[in-house]
Amino acid sequence: GDSNKLRLVTADKKYAQFQAPITQKDLNYYQLYKTVNPENRIMFELERTDMIDSRSALNVITPFGGMIIEGYAYYWDPKKKKNILRVNFPELMKEVFSAKSPPVPRFKVKTHDELMAQYPLPERPHPEPKWKAQPSEISRFILVPYKKSEAKSITDTSFFNRASVILEYLGCVPVYWAVEDGLPDDDIMSGFRGIVTWHTKPLMYHAEKYGRWLSRQIKKGKRVVILQEYGAAFDLETQDPAPSHKNVFKNLGIQFVQRGEKREEYLPEVRILDKTMLGFEREFDPLIVSYEDSYTSTDPRNKVFLSYNDREFGVVDLGVIAPTGGICLDNTPFYFPPYDADRIALIRKALKGEVAPEIAEQPTLGSWYINPYRFFSEALNLNELPAPDITTLNGSRIFYAHIDGDAMESVSLIDRAHLAGFFVFEQILKKYDDIPTTASVITKFIEKLGNEYHHPTLELARKIFDLPNINIGVHAATHPFDWVGGDPYITNPGEYPYKLGYRQHNFVQEIWGAKLFADHNLAPSNKKCQVILWSGETNPDARALEVVWRAKMHNLNGGDPRYDDEYPSLAGLAPYSLPYGVNRQYFTSAQNDYIYSLFLTGDWGGQKKVLKHYVKTDKPHRIYPMNLYYHFYAGIKNESLDALHHIYRYIRSVDAAPIYATQYCEIVEDFFNTHIGFDGEAYWIENQGFLRTVRFKNKVHVDMERSEGVIGYSHRENQTYVHLDGNKRCTVFLGDSPPVMPYFIQATQYIDKSEYDGRRLNFIFRGFGKALLKIGGLTPNAQYRLTLDKAEGETTEMVKNANKEGIIEFRTKLAAPAAVYHGTLVALGT
């Protein structure tokens, strides 16, 4: 009804203005019809000035027919008292019905079933796990025994949910072991650095055997750390005390005496309270302790950070760092809130229907009393262990973005005419073409939402995957919500009461079939699907991960970490992965828009809060890379698109290292397979070359002349980030002073090789987007020329002067897709 919003694009005189011209006041009706056959002849076309991509062919002749919208075909002239024809119907009908071409299929889609029959899932054996350390290797493995009587699975343990990510940041690989399955023998334990336990109850099957095993490991040089509860004071079956309990603490230089309940109630006197160790996230109240036994440090080498004078028990040391490990007992390591008023208020709102029930189900995090970074570093003696680092590439913090396929096909509420995926495609992915993004689709949805003549979601997926900054993933074939338990369905449709069953999922179809569909129907010839982004509850099991392995795919999603003012504890973070035997599920590094928007019921722009998560996970400990994780339903509302613009603009404003989510998966996989050693002179690092940063936990310099596979280093927060070039074995020699030869302090893309011949620095540079090269070790104030030669023949040259510290920065922008550049830095006038 508003002609001011309509604009005439095409109006053929014969078939749109036959007896009367079209004027602006005649433009009063609009529907969106997209002409998709290039052989169509458009007779009458409008577009809306308030809507993108809005050209609508309302009068069109096709090779096999035609279409006329009635409102623009004729009108009643009250003065002439007759219909005025805008369309010459006799001529139009003659032309339309003389057409002899049948409809031409435009899409030849291979179905999931056809592809799976043609391409069965291949076999792929696993390499043998490496438990034993190589000569001179520094062990990174930490055994984490847990009890099935306390936790049904790893994810139910306190250690996994609160401490695992800290150990990983410090460079360790936690290995979970259910004690009911039998304890590892000495041959297996030879490859372990230590043992950390976080039990919550004093009962254990075969408690005496466990205690003897634990004491033997301490005597063999394994550090043992005990949090909260020893866990095996009594046998679960017989209820008898386990005498080996005492020997475990004796081997830690601690005298244990079983006391039982106090005869009277009183508050013990605080003897030692080290505030550099306690009060990390929550002020430690020394009067909250609830011990029933006494622990007294007897080794003068021990460092006691929490101790009491008890008038019945004497000295009670609950926090001790020992040369053989450490303890932090009872309720002193971590605060578990007994009463959460905010949570109860949410539940009440949910019962009244004021908020979605899912919001009230958010877990209560609690917070750390001890400083976990310091406690684990000292108790496990980790300061001498260089940490493989997943957060940083060449000194630049990694950023990766990935999109789950949900609602790509949903109609957007922005204009109620285009798909949500269309707005993400047009406004985000095309606009930020300098930033790599991994996009996924739900392939069965695409297969069903079209036919051989018209397939808009398939076309949209192809356009997205064809962008040079996009790599391809799938969000499963049918989007399972519960990968293990199955999704509910009504078994007796049409009857009452309804009965629910749970449909189990075909993992081969969901993973392998989805990849085949994407590869053969959606991907351009130069790309393949590389990753599955887990859907629903993101809870695959070992069977699903085995399919991923055999399909040679990566996997990502789950964990939902968040660390900001609303989630102010490290306990809100997730480990890097969840192990399932020889395979791993890799977790994201940030929460997604579904949670930030309060499950699509609240703040659709809430994902802007992820910037606070970026800050909190960066300083003083860069524990995570930056991750933007969203769904195609971000295109449903302007508020969610604005949040994405806000985040992408932020990434452009900082010197990040943007990579694909698949590259991040490779880095994390490499983290768990990296081996580090010290041969008396130098550190050596072995991996597959995907993880390229090793972090030393103090400020050191690197001898660049003697080191191999090292392109540079940088200092940050009193730590040293050493940049590797991707060789499978690199050697790092430390030096006493900064290098007097060129080296990379920072770069935002991959550097695959770097050599200095005494005059020129030659290197291979790979990537696209905003590029920074920060080079040190140069002659102060001297002028240098940087040349980047692309393999296809393009050359970029820049000339700049080094500053007085001998450092120079070069910045440029490289077009997508990623390309290889041969770089040369040379001093002018030499």
Side-chain angles (χ1 to χ4, degrees):
D2 186 353
S3 64
N4 292 322
K5 292 182 177 179
L6 297 175
R7 190 179 76 84
L8 187 63
V9 178
T10 303
D12 181 86
K13 289 190 178 293
K14 183 176 181 181
Y15 291 135
Q17 305 183 82
F18 177 49
Q19 293 182 345
I22 294 283
T23 64
Q24 185 67 31
K25 65 180 178 58
D26 298 318
L27 306 181
N28 54 14
Y29 181 80
Y30 177 88
Q31 285 187 338
L32 180 57
Y33 290 93
K34 304 290 289 184
T35 175
V36 296
N37 189 337
E39 296 183 29
N40 291 351
R41 290 166 53 205
I42 300 171
M43 302 293 109
F44 182 70
E45 187 175 34
L46 294 178
E47 68 179 0
R48 283 181 58 163
T49 59
D50 61 340
M51 193 167 80
I52 63 172
D53 188 44
S54 62
R55 288 196 174 188
S56 178
L58 299 175
N59 183 336
V60 60
I61 298 174
T62 79
F64 37 84
M67 185 186 79
I68 305 168
I69 290 295
E70 183 182 15
Y72 293 108
Y74 57 87
Y75 71 96
W76 175 259
D77 189 326
K79 293 182 179 178
K80 297 182 179 179
K81 298 186 183 206
K82 67 175 184 178
N83 275 331
I84 302 299
L85 295 180
R86 291 226 165 91
V87 173
N88 185 338
F89 280 96
E91 290 297 318
L92 180 73
M93 295 301 176
K94 189 185 300 181
E95 184 166 348
V96 165
F97 286 108
S98 66
K100 297 179 181 180
S101 300
V104 179
R106 297 177 58 233
F107 302 98
K108 295 180 180 180
V109 177
K110 294 183 178 180
T111 68
H112 289 75
D113 293 340
E114 291 170 344
L115 289 165
M116 288 176 62
Q118 185 177 356
Y119 303 100
L121 179 66
E123 296 292 336
R124 187 186 180 198
H126 287 276
E128 290 294 324
K130 294 180 180 179
W131 294 114
K132 287 189 175 182
Q134 302 177 41
S136 75
E137 182 172 356
I138 305 171
S139 176
R140 301 172 53 222
F141 293 115
I142 302 294
L143 192 79
V144 184
Y146 72 97
K147 295 182 282 185
K148 293 179 181 177
S149 59
E150 290 181 4
K152 292 181 180 179
S153 69
I154 295 170
T155 56
D156 296 324
T157 64
S158 292
F159 184 90
F160 180 85
N161 288 306
R162 296 171 179 87
S164 184
V165 69
I166 308 295
L167 265 293
E168 290 168 339
Y169 166 80
L170 293 171
C172 297
V173 177
V175 178
Y176 296 86
W177 199 288
V179 295
E180 289 87 348
D181 295 340
L183 298 167
D185 60 28
D186 291 349
D187 188 49
I188 292 176
M189 288 303 301
S190 66
F192 281 83
R193 182 184 195 86
I195 301 165
V196 178
T197 71
W198 192 338
H199 302 304
T200 58
K201 296 176 184 178
L203 299 166
M204 180 187 290
Y205 286 110
H206 308 297
E208 179 65 14
K209 182 179 180 181
Y210 170 82
R212 290 197 299 268
W213 172 84
L214 205 56
S215 289
R216 186 169 71 253
Q217 301 311 317
I218 298 174
K219 291 178 181 178
K220 285 183 172 292
K222 309 302 175 189
R223 289 178 174 255
V224 170
V225 176
I226 301 172
L227 295 173
Q228 188 171 340
E229 176 68 58
Y230 167 67
F234 301 91
D235 190 277
L236 183 60
E237 188 171 14
T238 66
Q239 306 294 304
D240 293 332
S244 58
H245 183 180
K246 182 182 295 186
N247 288 331
V248 171
F249 284 93
K250 182 179 179 180
N251 289 316
L252 291 170
I254 298 168
Q255 182 184 32
F256 164 76
V257 179
Q258 187 174 347
R259 302 288 188 177
E261 294 185 8
K262 296 180 182 180
R263 292 188 296 272
E264 57 181 299
E265 291 293 328
Y266 59 89
L267 297 176
E269 175 191 357
V270 178
R271 191 174 74 94
I272 298 173
L273 175 56
D274 183 350
K275 292 188 176 181
T276 64
M277 185 68 80
L278 289 160
F280 178 67
E281 290 181 339
R282 184 182 184 86
E283 185 176 354
F284 182 74
D285 182 355
L287 303 181
I288 57 107
V289 294
S290 59
Y291 58 85
E292 294 182 356
D293 301 312
S294 68
Y295 309 84
T296 306
S297 174
T298 57
D299 189 330
R301 297 172 299 169
N302 287 357
K303 174 184 173 183
V304 178
F305 61 86
L306 178 62
S307 179
Y308 294 88
N309 283 320
D310 187 292
R311 64 187 185 209
E312 283 189 39
F313 296 174
V315 173
V316 178
D317 298 327
L318 296 181
V320 180
I321 301 293
T324 50
I327 63 170
C328 191
L329 299 176
D330 291 292
N331 53 350
T332 61
F334 194 85
Y335 170 74
F336 294 93
Y339 177 90
D340 190 333
D342 293 336
R343 177 89 175 274
I344 291 174
L346 276 176
I347 293 172
R348 287 174 176 161
K349 287 184 177 181
L351 292 173
K352 294 178 183 178
E354 296 175 4
V355 298
E358 294 88 349
I359 296 174
E361 293 173 4
Q362 297 180 70
T364 301
L365 294 178
S367 49
W368 284 97
Y369 282 130
I370 60 168
N371 181 333
Y373 296 107
R374 183 176 176 188
F375 175 75
F376 288 122
S377 291
E378 295 184 12
L380 294 169
N381 192 26
L382 298 178
N383 288 327
E384 52 113 355
L385 171 66
D389 191 286
I390 69 162
T391 71
T392 303
L393 176 67
N394 299 329
S396 301
R397 192 179 184 189
I398 288 171
F399 168 82
Y400 67 99
H402 67 291
I403 313 173
D404 282 357
D406 305 57
M408 186 183 82
E409 72 286 348
S410 293
V411 176
S412 173
L413 297 178
I414 294 173
D415 64 3
R416 301 179 187 273
H418 291 88
L419 302 182
F422 168 82
F423 280 101
V424 173
F425 168 67
E426 284 287 340
Q427 294 198 21
I428 303 299
L429 302 180
K430 287 174 66 176
K431 180 172 182 177
Y432 301 99
D433 60 352
D434 55 331
I435 298 177
T437 299
T438 299
S440 70
V441 293
I442 305 169
T443 54
K444 279 270 186 174
F445 288 10
I446 291 181
E447 180 182 318
K448 294 177 179 179
L449 289 171
N451 54 45
E452 59 186 341
Y453 305 109
H454 184 57
H455 224 312
T457 52
L458 183 141
E459 284 191 290
L460 177 59
R462 286 178 174 176
K463 289 178 181 178
I464 291 172
F465 290 160
D466 199 43
L467 291 175
N469 58 315
I470 301 298
N471 80 344
I472 301 174
V474 289
H475 199 41
T478 69
H479 192 286
F481 283 92
D482 187 340
W483 283 79
V484 177
D487 291 347
Y489 71 101
I490 296 172
T491 62
N492 59 337
E495 299 179 16
Y496 186 81
Y498 296 125
K499 295 181 181 179
L500 286 181
Y502 290 87
R503 183 175 291 110
Q504 299 301 307
H505 301 292
N506 181 330
F507 295 143
V508 176
Q509 175 182 269
E510 294 294 344
I511 302 166
W512 177 243
K515 170 181 166 56
L516 290 174
F517 187 89
D519 285 347
H520 290 270
N521 295 304
L522 308 177
S525 59
N526 62 335
K527 297 182 184 179
K528 295 290 184 183
C529 170
Q530 297 179 287
V531 64
I532 179 166
L533 305 178
W534 300 113
S535 59
E537 294 185 19
T538 63
N539 61 335
D541 62 7
R543 298 168 300 164
L545 287 164
E546 182 63 21
V547 175
V548 174
W549 166 260
R550 290 170 60 183
K552 294 186 178 180
M553 296 171 67
H554 302 293
N555 79 92
L556 185 65
N557 280 356
D560 296 324
R562 185 173 174 184
Y563 188 24
D564 54 29
D565 295 339
E566 296 176 36
Y567 288 69
S569 174
L570 287 169
L573 300 181
Y576 299 160
S577 77
L578 171 59
Y580 283 94
V582 293
N583 294 310
R584 290 180 178 273
Q585 174 187 356
Y586 296 107
F587 287 158
T588 65
S589 308
Q591 276 191 1
N592 61 69
D593 52 348
Y594 180 67
I595 299 173
Y596 278 114
S597 65
L598 296 178
F599 316 100
L600 308 185
T601 67
D603 181 8
W604 277 74
Q607 198 167 21
K608 292 178 182 178
K609 296 177 183 177
V610 77
L611 296 186
K612 187 67 174 180
H613 173 83
Y614 294 168
V615 171
K616 295 274 283 185
T617 54
D618 188 40
K619 290 184 178 180
H621 301 280
R622 182 178 285 176
I623 194 168
Y624 271 175
M626 295 180 287
N627 173 209
L628 175 57
Y629 171 19
Y630 60 104
H631 299 73
F632 276 113
Y633 50 63
I636 286 180
K637 291 194 175 184
N638 277 318
E639 295 92 327
S640 43
L641 288 176
D642 287 344
L644 294 179
H645 285 298
H646 184 73
I647 299 162
Y648 274 110
R649 285 195 298 266
Y650 170 80
I651 297 303
R652 277 181 169 173
S653 72
V654 297
D655 292 321
I659 64 175
Y660 290 116
T662 49
Q663 293 172 306
Y664 172 72
C665 291
E666 291 172 337
I667 291 170
V668 184
E669 183 177 351
D670 232 7
F671 170 87
F672 292 102
N673 296 316
T674 293
H675 297 267
I676 296 177
F678 182 68
D679 62 11
E681 287 191 282
Y683 291 90
W684 54 263
I685 300 98
E686 281 188 359
N687 58 27
Q688 292 300 308
F690 300 118
L691 184 145
R692 298 191 174 199
T693 298
V694 173
R695 176 170 34 84
F696 287 79
K697 294 160 189 171
N698 53 0
K699 203 169 180 180
V700 298
H701 292 289
V702 176
D703 186 333
M704 293 297 300
E705 289 191 72
R706 301 176 68 195
S707 298
E708 296 179 2
V710 178
I711 63 168
Y713 68 98
S714 58
H715 294 132
R716 184 182 181 279
E717 300 289 337
N718 292 316
Q719 299 191 78
T720 304
Y721 290 72
V722 178
H723 321 324
L724 310 178
D725 68 0
N727 277 319
K728 292 187 177 182
R729 185 177 175 103
C730 300
T731 306
V732 180
F733 284 86
L734 300 184
D736 297 324
S737 57
V740 290
M741 59 175 283
Y743 69 99
F744 289 97
I745 298 174
Q746 186 180 0
T748 51
Q749 274 78 18
Y750 284 91
I751 297 178
D752 293 325
K753 188 177 182 182
S754 177
E755 293 180 343
Y756 181 61
D757 62 8
R759 182 171 177 269
R760 295 173 181 269
L761 176 67
N762 299 297
F763 59 94
I764 296 176
F765 191 64
R766 173 167 54 92
F768 70 92
K770 188 182 77 171
L772 163 68
L773 290 166
K774 185 177 181 180
I775 303 171
L778 307 177
T779 303
N781 304 315
Q783 191 175 63
Y784 287 83
R785 180 177 65 237
L786 176 72
T787 304
L788 294 177
D789 289 320
K790 193 175 180 180
E792 288 78 5
E794 299 176 23
T795 297
T796 301
E797 281 194 357
M798 291 170 278
V799 176
K800 291 190 73 174
N801 287 355
N803 64 15
K804 62 182 181 180
E805 285 82 29
I807 297 172
I808 197 167
E809 288 187 9
F810 293 99
R811 294 179 183 271
T812 187
K813 187 172 180 181
L814 307 174
V820 175
Y821 298 83
H822 293 272
T824 303
L825 180 74
V826 61
L828 299 182
T830 61

Coordinates of all heavy atoms in Angstrom, one line a residue, residues 14-15 18-19 68 85-98:
K14 N 4.9 -3.8 -24.2 CA 3.9 -4.8 -24.8 C 3.2 -5.6 -23.7 O 2.0 -5.8 -23.8 CB 4.6 -5.6 -25.8 CG 3.7 -6.6 -26.6 CD 4.5 -7.4 -27.6 CE 3.6 -8.3 -28.4 NZ 4.4 -9.1 -29.4
Y15 N 4.0 -6.1 -22.8 CA 3.4 -7.0 -21.8 C 3.3 -6.5 -20.4 O 3.0 -7.2 -19.5 CB 4.3 -8.3 -21.8 CG 4.3 -9.1 -23.0 CD1 5.4 -9.6 -23.6 CD2 3.0 -9.4 -23.6 CE1 5.4 -10.3 -24.8 CE2 3.0 -10.1 -24.8 CZ 4.1 -10.6 -25.4 OH 4.1 -11.4 -26.5
F18 N 0.5 -2.2 -22.0 CA -0.2 -2.4 -23.2 C -1.1 -1.2 -23.6 O -1.1 -0.6 -24.6 CB -0.9 -3.7 -23.3 CG -1.7 -4.0 -24.5 CD1 -1.1 -3.8 -25.8 CD2 -3.0 -4.4 -24.4 CE1 -1.9 -4.1 -26.9 CE2 -3.7 -4.7 -25.5 CZ -3.2 -4.5 -26.8
Q19 N -2.1 -1.0 -22.7 CA -3.1 0.1 -22.9 C -2.9 1.3 -22.0 O -3.6 2.3 -22.2 CB -4.5 -0.5 -22.7 CG -4.9 -1.5 -23.8 CD -6.3 -2.1 -23.6 OE1 -6.9 -1.9 -22.5 NE2 -6.8 -2.7 -24.6
I68 N 1.8 -14.2 -14.4 CA 1.3 -12.8 -14.4 C 0.7 -12.6 -13.0 O -0.2 -13.4 -12.6 CB 0.3 -12.5 -15.5 CG1 0.9 -12.9 -16.9 CG2 -0.2 -11.1 -15.4 CD1 -0.2 -12.9 -18.0
L85 N -6.2 -3.0 -20.0 CA -5.2 -4.1 -20.0 C -3.8 -3.5 -20.0 O -3.4 -2.7 -20.9 CB -5.4 -5.0 -21.2 CG -6.7 -5.8 -21.3 CD1 -6.7 -6.6 -22.6 CD2 -6.9 -6.6 -20.1
R86 N -3.1 -4.0 -19.0 CA -1.6 -3.7 -19.0 C -0.9 -4.7 -19.8 O 0.2 -4.5 -20.3 CB -1.1 -3.5 -17.6 CG -1.7 -2.3 -16.9 CD -0.6 -1.6 -16.1 NE -1.0 -0.2 -15.8 CZ -1.6 0.1 -14.6 NH1 -1.8 -0.9 -13.7 NH2 -1.9 1.3 -14.3
V87 N -1.5 -5.9 -19.8 CA -0.8 -7.1 -20.5 C -1.6 -7.4 -21.8 O -2.8 -7.4 -21.7 CB -0.8 -8.3 -19.6 CG1 -0.3 -9.5 -20.3 CG2 0.1 -8.0 -18.4
N88 N -0.9 -7.5 -22.9 CA -1.5 -7.9 -24.1 C -1.8 -9.4 -24.0 O -0.9 -10.2 -24.4 CB -0.6 -7.6 -25.3 CG -1.2 -7.8 -26.6 OD1 -2.2 -8.7 -26.7 ND2 -0.8 -7.2 -27.7
F89 N -2.9 -9.8 -23.5 CA -3.2 -11.2 -23.2 C -3.1 -12.1 -24.4 O -2.5 -13.2 -24.4 CB -4.5 -11.4 -22.5 CG -4.4 -11.1 -21.0 CD1 -4.7 -9.8 -20.5 CD2 -4.0 -12.0 -20.1 CE1 -4.6 -9.5 -19.2 CE2 -3.9 -11.7 -18.8 CZ -4.2 -10.5 -18.3
P90 N -3.7 -11.7 -25.6 CA -3.7 -12.6 -26.7 C -2.3 -12.9 -27.2 O -1.9 -14.1 -27.4 CB -4.5 -11.9 -27.8 CG -5.4 -11.0 -27.0 CD -4.6 -10.6 -25.8
E91 N -1.4 -11.9 -27.3 CA -0.1 -12.1 -27.7 C 0.7 -12.9 -26.7 O 1.5 -13.7 -27.0 CB 0.6 -10.7 -28.0 CG 0.1 -10.0 -29.2 CD 0.4 -10.8 -30.4 OE1 1.5 -11.4 -30.6 OE2 -0.5 -10.9 -31.3
L92 N 0.5 -12.5 -25.4 CA 1.2 -13.2 -24.3 C 0.9 -14.7 -24.3 O 1.7 -15.6 -24.2 CB 0.9 -12.6 -23.0 CG 1.6 -13.3 -21.8 CD1 3.1 -13.0 -21.8 CD2 1.0 -12.9 -20.5
M93 N -0.5 -15.0 -24.4 CA -0.9 -16.4 -24.4 C -0.3 -17.2 -25.6 O 0.1 -18.3 -25.5 CB -2.4 -16.5 -24.4 CG -3.0 -16.0 -23.1 SD -2.4 -16.8 -21.6 CE -3.2 -15.8 -20.4
K94 N -0.3 -16.5 -26.8 CA 0.2 -17.1 -28.0 C 1.7 -17.5 -27.7 O 2.1 -18.6 -28.1 CB 0.1 -16.2 -29.1 CG 0.4 -16.8 -30.5 CD 0.4 -15.8 -31.6 CE -1.0 -15.2 -31.7 NZ -1.1 -14.2 -32.8
E95 N 2.4 -16.6 -27.2 CA 3.9 -16.8 -27.0 C 4.1 -17.9 -25.9 O 4.9 -18.8 -26.0 CB 4.6 -15.5 -26.6 CG 6.1 -15.7 -26.4 CD 6.8 -14.4 -26.4 OE1 6.2 -13.3 -26.6 OE2 8.0 -14.4 -26.0
V96 N 3.3 -17.8 -24.8 CA 3.5 -18.8 -23.7 C 3.2 -20.2 -24.1 O 3.9 -21.1 -23.9 CB 2.6 -18.4 -22.5 CG1 2.5 -19.5 -21.5 CG2 3.2 -17.1 -21.8
F97 N 2.0 -20.3 -24.9 CA 1.6 -21.7 -25.2 C 2.3 -22.3 -26.4 O 2.1 -23.4 -26.8 CB 0.1 -21.8 -25.3 CG -0.6 -21.7 -24.0 CD1 -1.3 -20.6 -23.6 CD2 -0.5 -22.8 -23.1 CE1 -1.9 -20.5 -22.4 CE2 -1.1 -22.7 -21.9 CZ -1.8 -21.6 -21.5
S98 N 3.1 -21.4 -27.1 CA 3.9 -21.9 -28.2 C 5.2 -22.5 -27.7 O 5.9 -23.1 -28.5 CB 4.1 -20.8 -29.3 OG 4.9 -19.8 -28.7

